[in-house]
Amino acid sequence: MTLTPTMVRGGVKSNSVPESITLTCDVRSLPFQDEAYVRGQLDKALELCERALAVFARRDDRLGIGDGYRVMGIIKTQQKLYDEAENLFRESIVANE
């Protein structure tokens, strides 16, 4: 299975946090990988991101924290949990300001 973010839309200028964004991802799965499998893999990826965020936080690695939130936002978008994804993208922006 692959998950690739392919399009991002949002914001009105480069020096402000966008009110909202839209992220589109392409998911490619093999014939035996049904929806339950894909959702399970996304859940596992979220768990790993949460563990990575804890490590980045202990090391005060702001770039790592921002990347972790961004990846989690991509996963939540794929799960169609758009409000959660938006909050994670905002956290990513704040971590990197």
Side-chain angles (χ1 to χ4, degrees), residues 42-54:
L42 292 173
D43 288 340
K44 285 181 185 177
L46 280 172
E47 289 174 25
L48 290 171
C49 285
E50 288 170 358
R51 288 175 51 197
L53 279 174

Side-chain angles (χ1 to χ4, degrees), residues 8-95:
V8 178
R9 288 187 304 256
V12 293
K13 57 185 178 176
S14 64
N15 65 345
S16 65
V17 176
E19 183 177 315
S20 65
I21 68 164
T22 302
L23 176 70
T24 302
C25 296
D26 178 56
V27 175
R28 306 268 172 130
S29 59
L30 297 172
F32 64 89
Q33 297 172 330
D34 61 6
E35 184 177 342
Y37 174 84
V38 172
R39 289 188 183 280
Q41 292 300 305
L42 292 173
D43 288 340
K44 285 181 185 177
L46 280 172
E47 289 174 25
L48 290 171
C49 285
E50 288 170 358
R51 288 175 51 197
L53 279 174
V55 171
F56 295 142
R58 282 195 306 272
R59 295 180 178 176
D60 197 30
D61 180 349
R62 305 303 295 165
L63 292 176
I65 291 169
D67 283 346
Y69 282 129
R70 182 182 54 79
V71 170
M72 290 174 72
I74 292 168
I75 294 167
K76 291 292 186 179
T77 299
Q78 203 56 42
Q79 294 175 322
K80 298 184 176 11
L81 300 170
Y82 302 115
D83 289 340
E84 290 180 45
E86 181 179 341
N87 289 334
L88 289 163
F89 290 130
R90 286 182 188 279
E91 289 293 329
S92 175
I93 293 166
V94 168

